[in-house]
Amino acid sequence: MVHKVVVANRRAAAARVIRALRGLGIRSVALYSDADADAPYLAEADEAVRVGPAPAAASYLNRDAVIEAARSVGADAVHPGYGFLAEDPAFAERVELEIGRFIGPSPSWIARMGHKPRARALMARHGLAVGGGSEPLGDDDAALFLEAERVGYPLIVKPALGGGGIGMVVVRHAGELAAAARRARSTVRRAFGNDAIYLERLVERPRHIELQIVADRHGTVRTLFERDCSLQRRHQKLIEEGPAPAIDRAALDALTGRVAAVLADIGYDSIGTVETLLDADGNFRFIEMNTRLQVEHGVTEAITGVDLVATQIRIAAGERLADLLPTTIAATGHAIEARVCAEDPDRFLPSTGVLEVFRPPAGPGVRIETGFAEGNAVTPHYDSLLAKVIAHGDTRAQAIARLDAALAGFAVAGVHSNIPALRRALASPAFQAGRVHTGLLAEIGEHQA
Amino acid sequence: MSRIDIPSAVAGTVWQITADAGAQVGAGDILMILESMKLEIEVSAPQAGTLRLAVAEGQVVSVGDILATLDPA
């Protein structure tokens, strides 16, 4: 077992991991930058250590500072949360070498899955369907145009390393390609320190369906159902739910079985998420695998009753899935999560300021994950997430009603919030009928305007 | 048309200036890209004109700060 874990993250992600550690009787150490010195998660941990100034590159993304903090408190493990260093193989290797356990998969998995074109090739070799795509491309524009012709338009330019929807640019025809590639490279160089990009054939109006994987270090792989994360803006998820509504269950079950078999075959050894796109013809295509806790893990926890974070920690400590999870796990009811962000609800522009009012709601079947308290400042340094609201109900309709009531009762003042946009989406006939796709949120917004 | 100031809609940092000071720009041209909350926010010209820049790359800006001015041609 591990005894003292540094949580290398902030706000909601840190609070969630600290809660899991407390539940397991493991000592927790919170890290904070100067912009988070007022955050409530610091008091929830056993210790708190300043990791640097506000900019992420100088604090939560600073490998040396995080390792030094872990050493200074005598920690024997690091939990990276999600985002920041969660998928940085060099960081994970340093943790295992200099501190102890990295709470995630064996570091080699982060490198293998973190390189998106290579992960696609690996999955394709094991028989999973992948969409048309290219190898990673360097600076050679001639090669770029040749590959684009081969992949076909419309296509999407993506960073080879990285995630979170950053640096993804849609290209409808060859005339847009050079500028899009330039823009994507410059974005991803800054965000991920590596400007390799690749091309993927664009799937029009797809659904984003992802599978929750739970695997241990002894060769057991299980899946814990799917999440539908189709409601997105700027390639970033805003509303996630499980089980996926109005879907071909037999096809999904077949995919799930195949994915579990592939991951067992290649020996994946932690929790993770396999992301796929489902096109209008009912075909699933692998897009990537995230080797970490997912922001929207609470949806799966709500329908299965499994504490994914505690499970992840115990797996990293070497425990067996057979001892951690019941033999059969059913999906009970329906859960939907909405990400409440500091953004204006029409253009989704970020909004900073002091949370003069911040009163998350409570109600039957409603769970709140936040890292903020009234009076805290929302700064431009990090993403705009204020809170996740997860509603669980016996049926999808009940989950929608509970989520909407919770959002209606969520008082936020001092910054703009996207709550009106979230409620508009929940109220839309397409969403209510389960006719979701990744362009739906934009369509609802245009309809409104 | 008269001279027009372009204020920042967000608090953040000027990441990239994509148009040249003194250049003649058209309505809708991208002038610069701001960064706030891990997002890139494009600032485009609301009308045609000659560009005068009021900020430099890397500069921190608040909501309402003037980023640039357009003098009508």
Side-chain angles (χ1 to χ4, degrees):
Chain A
M1 204 54 195
V2 294
H3 299 98
K4 189 175 193 178
V5 177
V6 162
V7 182
N9 215 294
R10 62 185 291 277
R11 301 278 175 179
R16 174 68 188 93
V17 175
I18 290 164
R19 201 166 72 234
L21 291 167
R22 291 179 75 99
L24 294 170
I26 300 169
R27 288 185 65 79
S28 58
V29 183
L31 302 185
Y32 64 96
S33 76
D34 291 340
D36 289 328
D38 61 353
Y41 72 92
L42 302 180
E44 292 156 17
D46 294 305
E47 295 172 56
V49 180
R50 177 183 177 273
V51 74
S59 51
Y60 303 107
L61 283 171
N62 182 342
R63 294 176 192 140
D64 290 337
V66 173
I67 295 278
E68 183 45 42
R71 211 195 328 256
S72 74
V73 296
D76 58 357
V78 174
H79 193 302
Y82 40 77
F84 296 119
L85 297 169
E87 289 173 287
D88 178 338
F91 175 72
E93 271 163 28
R94 281 193 63 184
V95 168
E96 298 248 307
L97 215 61
E98 299 174 42
I99 303 297
R101 289 280 174 178
F102 175 79
I103 299 178
S106 308
S108 67
W109 281 113
I110 304 176
R112 264 192 276 182
M113 291 302 178
H115 191 285
K116 307 304 178 189
R118 258 183 245 151
R120 281 163 44 91
L122 175 68
M123 290 304 190
R125 274 203 304 282
H126 281 83
L128 278 189
V130 299
S134 78
E135 295 288 301
L137 298 162
D139 278 337
D140 180 357
D141 264 5
L144 175 72
F145 276 90
L146 273 177
E147 276 299 287
E149 286 303 326
R150 195 180 59 75
V151 170
Y153 297 94
L155 53 81
I156 184 161
V157 181
K158 290 186 169 187
L161 298 156
I166 294 167
M168 287 164 52
V169 186
V170 170
V171 178
R172 297 255 157 215
H173 53 83
E176 296 175 348
L177 182 60
R182 213 165 32 241
R183 176 74 189 275
R185 279 201 194 100
S186 112
T187 300
V188 305
R189 190 182 305 124
R190 195 178 46 131
F192 308 116
N194 177 303
D195 69 356
I197 54 170
Y198 72 106
L199 310 177
E200 224 175 67
R201 182 68 191 244
L202 183 74
V203 181
E204 301 276 8
R205 295 161 64 96
R207 288 175 70 170
H208 176 113
I209 304 286
E210 59 183 35
L211 304 176
Q212 178 65 54
I213 309 302
V214 188
D216 66 15
R217 304 212 162 185
H218 307 279
T220 303
V221 176
R222 292 181 62 177
T223 53
L224 286 181
F225 307 100
E226 77 284 358
R227 293 178 292 259
D228 184 319
C229 311
S230 299
L231 268 70
Q232 308 183 353
R233 54 96 181 77
R234 292 187 294 250
H235 307 292
Q236 291 172 340
K237 300 161 188 168
L238 219 49
I239 295 178
E240 303 104 334
E241 64 181 307
I247 198 162
D248 180 345
R249 227 357 92 181
L252 183 58
D253 287 348
L255 172 78
T256 305
R258 208 151 52 235
V259 166
V262 170
L263 292 176
D265 205 26
I266 61 182
Y268 188 68
D269 63 0
S270 183
I271 70 167
T273 295
V274 168
E275 298 192 334
T276 73
L277 293 181
L278 172 60
D279 70 18
D281 298 324
N283 303 305
F284 290 96
R285 294 189 181 89
F286 171 84
I287 46 173
E288 63 180 61
M289 178 168 185
N290 297 327
T291 56
R292 55 169 167 83
L293 184 68
Q294 207 88 343
V295 178
E296 60 274 21
H297 68 279
V299 167
T300 301
E301 293 185 327
I303 59 171
T304 61
V306 172
D307 183 330
L308 280 172
V309 186
T311 304
Q312 179 190 32
I313 294 165
R314 296 177 68 176
I315 288 168
E319 293 194 53
R320 290 170 183 274
L321 271 191
D323 300 326
L324 297 177
L325 300 182
T327 318
T328 53
I329 296 171
T332 305
H334 196 96
I336 312 181
E337 169 179 284
R339 300 192 193 186
V340 174
C341 298
E343 293 177 3
D344 82 73
D346 301 310
R347 297 169 64 204
F348 298 121
L349 280 180
S351 173
T352 53
V354 172
L355 291 168
E356 284 151 19
V357 178
F358 187 72
R359 287 173 209 148
V366 172
R367 167 176 159 191
I368 305 293
E369 294 287 343
T370 184
F372 284 95
E374 207 161 85
N376 287 178
V378 179
T379 71
H381 297 290
Y382 317 106
D383 68 46
S384 61
L385 184 76
L386 292 176
K388 295 180 272 183
V389 182
I390 304 145
H392 184 245
D394 294 337
T395 61
R396 184 169 186 262
Q398 187 180 44
I400 293 174
R402 285 179 167 176
L403 181 55
D404 187 60
L407 291 170
F410 199 150
V412 180
V415 300
H416 295 295
S417 96
N418 64 344
I419 288 173
L422 296 168
R423 296 191 64 206
R424 274 202 299 272
L426 294 181
S428 76
F431 182 79
Q432 299 225 339
R435 287 197 314 273
V436 293
H437 60 87
T438 59
L440 180 61
L441 214 53
E443 287 178 13
I444 293 168
E446 280 159 23
H447 190 67
Q448 173 75 15
Chain B
M1 283 188 292
S2 56
R3 200 183 101 168
I4 184 167
D5 288 334
I6 303 171
S8 179
V10 299
T13 309
V14 179
W15 173 40
Q16 272 187 352
I17 294 179
T18 51
D20 295 326
Q24 189 64 35
V25 299
D29 285 1
I30 306 297
L31 307 178
M32 64 182 75
I33 302 170
L34 307 182
E35 186 195 23
S36 180
M37 293 183 160
K38 289 170 66 187
L39 290 175
E40 293 166 8
I41 296 136
E42 292 179 339
V43 178
S44 55
Q47 63 175 45
T50 307
L51 179 65
R52 272 197 284 158
L53 293 169
V55 292
E57 288 185 0
Q59 190 171 326
V60 174
V61 294
S62 303
V63 175
D65 285 2
I66 302 304
L67 302 171
T69 301
L70 289 172
D71 290 312

